[in-house]
Amino acid sequence: MSATAPRDTPAVHVLHDNPEWIPPFRRAFEAEGVPLVEWPLGAGTLDLDAEPPAGVIWSRLSASSHTREAPLAKDAARSITAWAAAWGRRVVGGQHVADLEVSKVIQHAALRRAGFDVPRTVAVFGRDGLIDSAKDIEAPFITKHNQGGKGLGVRRFDDHESFDAYVRGDDFEEAADGITLLQELLVATEPAITRAEFVGGEFVYAVRVDTSAGGFELCPAEACALPGAGAGADDGSRAGPAPEPMFRIRPEITDEDPLILRYRSLLADLGIEIAGIEYMTTVDGRTVTYDINTNTNYNPEVESGLELPAARRIARYLGELLRAEEQTS
């Protein structure tokens, strides 16, 4: 992995596997006057005897990187951040964060240890044990890929017979790391989940994500804002109130909310500085936390209505880290 920026010019070097997600951040960094240098993951070389470029290393590794022709991004991010940290560089989203980003098993373990309600889950290594393992999960249930993102491997099964046929059939979807999760089906009180955003370990805002259109790909990024998504799913043929926007701020959730305080403590314990945590309220009265996203993206409509958008907060936060590094170098 070869950095193309001048090594002696301090900057925030962003490791990423998807250039389509970068423009909103580049605009935010330009607005804050913070130099941002892209460092694509998954190709190139890394001279382990060379000194890393000056500045801050910010990793935005995505668990779904292997779906964008970057199957080596996961190991590249681990290698670069470990190398940079060994040279004393300030790293945001380092090796331990990369491990958590690409493994729902690790996320689940961290959440359970911290006392959060998490979905009943069985991790199956390889394809052979899936049918027998599913017998311990009450139907209906869902599958997920351990290295997920984009709803990878998420399917609903209303009975074990249909699951058995899927596992034995040609449509079976192999997980990138060979680990398939069998998970209880959670039924929400409304067709929505909540995503709480944090920057620099501090709460920014909570977003309600409408799931009434079905599916599991809830990407909020600008690059995912396809025509007809979310509110556009209503063709206008039915009378009634305007459709719920797919993403909207939940102003009633503040940094004093008990759950938000617990999330803040969790991220501090895990050493995670930038993240979005997803949870839902179920019909049986549970508040279930099921995902930690460390390469968080932001919905452009939500961001445009804020005095200080989350992307600007990231630019400002990393800019402060960059200035601190310059003062100590």
Side-chain angles (χ1 to χ4, degrees):
M1 276 54 68
S2 302
T4 58
R7 289 182 172 272
D8 297 331
T9 303
V12 174
H13 299 266
V14 55
L15 314 182
H16 71 82
D17 54 76
N18 188 358
E20 294 182 359
W21 287 345
I22 298 301
F25 294 104
R26 182 165 294 286
R27 293 192 295 269
F29 275 72
E30 289 175 352
E32 291 293 327
V34 179
L36 183 69
V37 176
E38 293 187 49
W39 195 333
L41 291 168
T45 60
L46 182 66
D47 185 347
L48 299 180
D49 293 322
E51 185 173 352
V56 174
I57 307 296
W58 172 35
S59 175
R60 297 200 74 251
L61 170 68
S62 167
S64 59
S65 58
H66 58 289
T67 69
R68 288 182 292 276
E69 300 182 355
L72 304 180
K74 175 173 64 174
D75 292 313
R78 288 168 167 161
S79 299
I80 294 171
T81 54
W83 164 72
W87 278 86
R89 293 293 184 266
R90 180 64 164 89
V91 176
V92 176
Q95 181 181 0
H96 67 291
V97 179
D99 290 341
L100 185 141
E101 168 65 22
V102 300
S103 175
K104 294 188 183 299
V105 168
I106 294 177
Q107 293 180 30
H108 190 282
L111 289 165
R112 176 175 286 284
R113 180 181 181 184
F116 292 94
D117 190 350
V118 290
R120 161 79 171 126
T121 305
V122 174
V124 182
F125 302 88
R127 185 173 181 174
D128 293 341
L130 279 168
I131 291 176
D132 286 340
S133 298
K135 295 176 182 177
D136 295 329
I137 302 291
E138 183 179 351
F141 61 91
I142 64 172
T143 61
K144 290 182 179 179
H145 286 178
N146 180 56
Q147 184 179 336
K150 301 204 309 180
L152 291 173
V154 180
R155 292 175 180 245
R156 171 176 172 159
F157 296 92
D158 291 321
D159 54 68
H160 289 86
E161 290 75 18
S162 60
F163 175 71
D164 295 354
Y166 166 67
V167 173
R168 295 189 178 104
D170 295 335
D171 293 335
F172 178 76
E173 186 179 355
E174 294 279 1
D177 59 3
I179 305 174
T180 300
L181 306 183
L182 306 175
Q183 196 168 87
E184 66 171 313
L185 177 68
L186 300 172
V187 181
T189 55
E190 60 173 339
I193 60 96
T194 299
R195 180 178 172 114
E197 301 289 359
F198 294 82
V199 173
E202 300 295 331
F203 176 68
V204 179
Y205 55 67
V207 175
R208 179 188 186 276
V209 185
D210 185 86
T211 60
S212 59
F216 298 90
E217 184 172 353
L218 305 176
C219 173
E222 180 178 271
C224 301
L226 301 176
D234 189 345
D235 63 7
S237 61
R238 299 188 307 272
E244 180 76 35
M246 187 170 183
F247 299 91
R248 67 167 172 81
I249 292 286
R250 292 191 60 184
E252 75 277 13
I253 298 178
T254 71
D255 57 3
E256 295 300 319
D257 184 287
L259 183 61
I260 296 302
L261 291 173
R262 292 182 64 201
Y263 285 154
R264 179 182 174 184
S265 178
L266 170 72
L267 294 178
D269 290 344
L270 295 175
I272 298 174
E273 296 168 83
I274 300 172
I277 302 179
E278 295 180 2
Y279 65 96
M280 68 168 65
T281 303
T282 65
V283 292
D284 53 352
R286 299 165 61 189
T287 298
V288 181
T289 305
Y290 63 89
D291 200 10
I292 304 174
N293 295 275
T294 62
N295 71 320
T296 191
N297 290 296
Y298 306 107
N299 179 256
E301 284 73 29
V302 168
E303 290 276 278
S304 65
L306 300 174
E307 182 178 350
L308 184 59
R312 287 282 295 270
R313 288 177 183 265
I314 288 179
R316 189 169 296 184
Y317 175 67
L318 295 181
E320 292 171 355
L321 297 183
L322 180 60
R323 287 188 289 274
E325 289 297 296
E326 292 178 288
Q327 291 172 2
T328 58
S329 61

